[in-house]
Amino acid sequence: MKTHFKTFLLFTALAGFLSCHAKTKKENIALNQTEIEKLKPNKQFIKVALLLDTSNSMDGLIDQAKAQLWDIVNELSYAKCGTNKPNLQIALYEYGNDRLNSREGYIRQVLGFSDDLDEISKELFSLTTNGGEEYCGQVIQTSLNQLNWGENPDDLKLIFIAGNEPFTQGKTNYKDASANANEKDVTVNTIFCGDFNQGISTYWKDGADLTKGDYMAINQNQSTVYIATPYDDDILILNQKLNKTYVIYGDKGKEKIALQAEQDSNAGSYGKANAVSRSVSKSSYLYKNESWDLVDAVELNEVTIENLKDDALPNILKGKTKEEIKTYVNEKRKERDAIQKQIQALNLKRKGYITKNKKDTNGLENAMTKAIKEQAKKKHYTWN
């Protein structure tokens, strides 16, 4: 009887900790905090659908998205939902491009909700612009229909749509799409690429107001300004060491580690500081590669070393005993943890340096992070 009663108390206490809305006051039932952390699943998500106009005039917007992805990811890595750090999923749509199917409203889902940051970067860098018709209401509705938004009330579900044509174009009324977004607890944020007042007169602000989202106007042709810091070179050296801790396995291994290197290169093509931002992202909990990296796969219980066949292993581990493989993977895990902690420590100093020297801009990253933080408060998310 005592055992059943203790179990009941345990689950009662845990229920209070599983929500961002849970009270933070101490309960009468005192549970060891370490035990709570071990038992508590991380079920909260920040889900962001990015809808980008890829018509001719939007080259600057696409450039900003490519250049500022890692800064946005880094800001989101500091979010907390209660005592949990929420998962992040990003989806990507393009619209308004003549190369897209006219029968589908010149809209394409580039990537559904994904937590694969390398894949997200790859797809962003694949975007090119061309003339077309921009149907804001239709692309919002399409993303609402196609994506799995889920029903967890603690999830932060956001759409960011960016463009520069009237919000009223197309056969789908943006007001109907907004009503559907409200039903799904999705907040629509609008980013007008141009004059603030022009965006208001072309209904971009109304498109945000209907879901209590943020309306923003940015200069899409403004070049991203990077601030070099004394810590950049050290972080980049650590990133090279970090890459050596990845242990490929399975069919995807070689392809995915090549993709990782490609996205390092893509980030570097926008300058050293952007490569540093990507390195910082790779040191955060959001950068996981359990589908191809044995270190992450073992840690996240995606694979069991005892069940791995020899042909799924990299050459360095072929013919090794299961204990030898475990030892090797464990050493790489420790090595990675140490490197990631070093990067995070240097990044704290880097952030302080940038804060002192940075000027406010009205670019994509600044607009998105401000909106996300403000709307996250409604869900009781905090930033550390």
Side-chain angles (χ1 to χ4, degrees):
M1 187 68 176
K2 286 182 179 179
T3 302
H4 290 305
F5 183 64
K6 287 180 180 178
T7 303
F8 171 76
L9 290 180
L10 177 63
F11 279 102
T12 301
L14 281 175
F17 282 98
L18 291 180
S19 169
C20 288
H21 302 289
K23 295 179 181 178
T24 56
K25 293 180 181 178
K26 290 183 179 179
E27 305 291 340
N28 292 330
I29 303 165
L31 285 176
N32 181 280
Q33 186 64 30
T34 304
E35 292 175 348
I36 292 170
E37 290 299 325
K38 287 180 180 178
L39 289 167
K40 181 173 50 180
N42 185 7
K43 293 183 177 180
Q44 286 74 41
F45 284 83
I46 296 176
K47 297 187 175 187
V48 177
L50 191 54
L51 319 181
L52 298 178
D53 177 354
T54 56
S55 61
N56 272 339
S57 56
M58 291 291 106
D59 292 286
L61 172 69
I62 305 307
D63 259 359
Q64 285 193 28
K66 293 173 182 177
Q68 296 169 11
L69 169 67
W70 301 112
D71 285 330
I72 294 168
V73 168
N74 290 339
E75 278 300 318
L76 294 177
S77 74
Y78 303 123
K80 276 190 174 181
C81 179
T83 56
N84 273 336
K85 282 191 166 288
N87 302 290
L88 172 65
Q89 291 184 335
I90 296 175
L92 181 62
Y93 282 78
E94 64 168 325
Y95 73 102
N97 191 315
D98 271 346
R99 285 193 293 267
L100 306 178
N101 192 328
S102 61
R103 288 173 295 181
E104 295 177 0
Y106 301 102
I107 294 164
R108 179 173 75 99
Q109 184 189 89
V110 181
L111 188 68
F113 278 134
S114 174
D115 59 4
D116 187 333
L117 296 180
D118 286 343
E119 195 67 28
I120 294 164
S121 175
K122 170 192 169 185
E123 295 299 347
L124 263 180
F125 273 84
S126 74
L127 295 180
T128 56
T129 58
N130 199 42
E133 301 293 329
E134 293 114 278
Y135 302 148
C136 295
Q138 191 169 349
V139 70
I140 291 170
Q141 188 59 60
T142 300
S143 69
L144 291 170
N145 291 342
Q146 291 182 347
L147 297 173
N148 179 16
W149 291 96
E151 297 180 359
N152 187 345
D154 287 333
D155 285 350
L156 184 60
K157 296 179 277 191
L158 308 172
I159 286 174
F160 285 88
I161 178 169
N164 69 343
E165 291 294 324
F167 213 69
T168 51
Q169 292 184 157
K171 64 182 181 180
T172 301
N173 191 312
Y174 74 90
K175 293 182 180 180
D176 295 332
S178 297
N180 190 215
N182 280 323
E183 290 172 1
K184 294 176 180 282
D185 193 27
V186 177
T187 303
V188 178
N189 301 281
T190 62
I191 303 173
F192 182 71
C193 299
D195 178 73
F196 186 88
N197 290 323
Q198 184 184 352
I200 293 175
S201 65
T202 51
Y203 296 93
W204 281 78
K205 185 177 186 302
D206 194 42
D209 289 345
L210 289 171
T211 62
K212 296 182 172 62
D214 281 16
Y215 162 66
M216 299 149 277
I218 67 170
N219 176 4
Q220 80 272 20
N221 294 317
Q222 178 177 286
S223 298
T224 302
V225 177
Y226 296 109
I227 297 174
T229 81
Y231 313 102
D232 292 353
D233 288 337
D234 288 339
I235 290 175
L236 290 176
I237 290 170
L238 286 169
N239 180 63
Q240 293 175 6
K241 294 180 179 179
L242 181 64
N243 286 345
K244 294 176 182 178
T245 68
Y246 286 88
V247 182
I248 62 173
Y249 78 97
D251 298 333
K252 297 180 180 179
K254 290 181 180 179
E255 175 189 340
K256 285 291 191 176
I257 204 163
L259 178 62
Q260 181 188 67
E262 180 186 355
Q263 300 320 306
D264 279 357
S265 177
N266 278 338
S269 69
Y270 279 87
K272 180 189 289 187
N274 194 41
V276 171
S277 290
R278 171 169 161 82
S279 302
V280 172
S281 294
K282 287 167 67 179
S283 73
S284 80
Y285 77 98
L286 292 174
Y287 189 77
K288 294 293 184 185
N289 297 286
E290 65 273 17
S291 68
W292 62 272
D293 167 51
L294 200 52
V295 178
D296 281 346
V298 170
E299 183 185 33
L300 298 173
N301 298 315
E302 289 293 319
V303 300
T304 304
I305 287 176
E306 283 79 6
N307 296 331
L308 277 176
K309 295 181 180 179
D310 202 56
D311 60 5
L313 296 169
N315 290 334
I316 196 169
L317 293 178
K318 289 185 187 297
K320 301 288 186 182
T321 67
K322 300 302 180 184
E323 286 305 314
E324 287 173 328
I325 295 170
K326 285 181 182 179
T327 298
Y328 183 85
V329 170
N330 189 46
E331 287 174 353
K332 289 296 180 183
R333 170 80 273 162
K334 290 178 180 177
E335 186 181 344
R336 185 180 302 173
D337 286 345
I339 294 169
Q340 288 176 326
K341 286 176 182 176
Q342 286 178 276
I343 293 175
Q344 287 291 322
L346 286 169
N347 187 52
L348 278 177
K349 298 176 182 179
R350 173 177 171 265
K351 281 180 66 181
Y353 186 94
I354 291 173
T355 300
K356 289 180 181 178
N357 294 278
K358 188 176 183 179
K359 295 179 180 179
D360 285 337
T361 64
N362 68 334
L364 182 68
E365 179 257 337
N366 195 48
M368 285 186 64
T369 53
K370 279 185 177 179
I372 290 170
K373 286 184 177 182
E374 192 61 34
Q375 288 159 32
K377 291 178 184 177
K378 302 171 188 176
K379 297 280 186 176
H380 303 278
Y381 283 64
T382 58
W383 255 254
N384 51 344

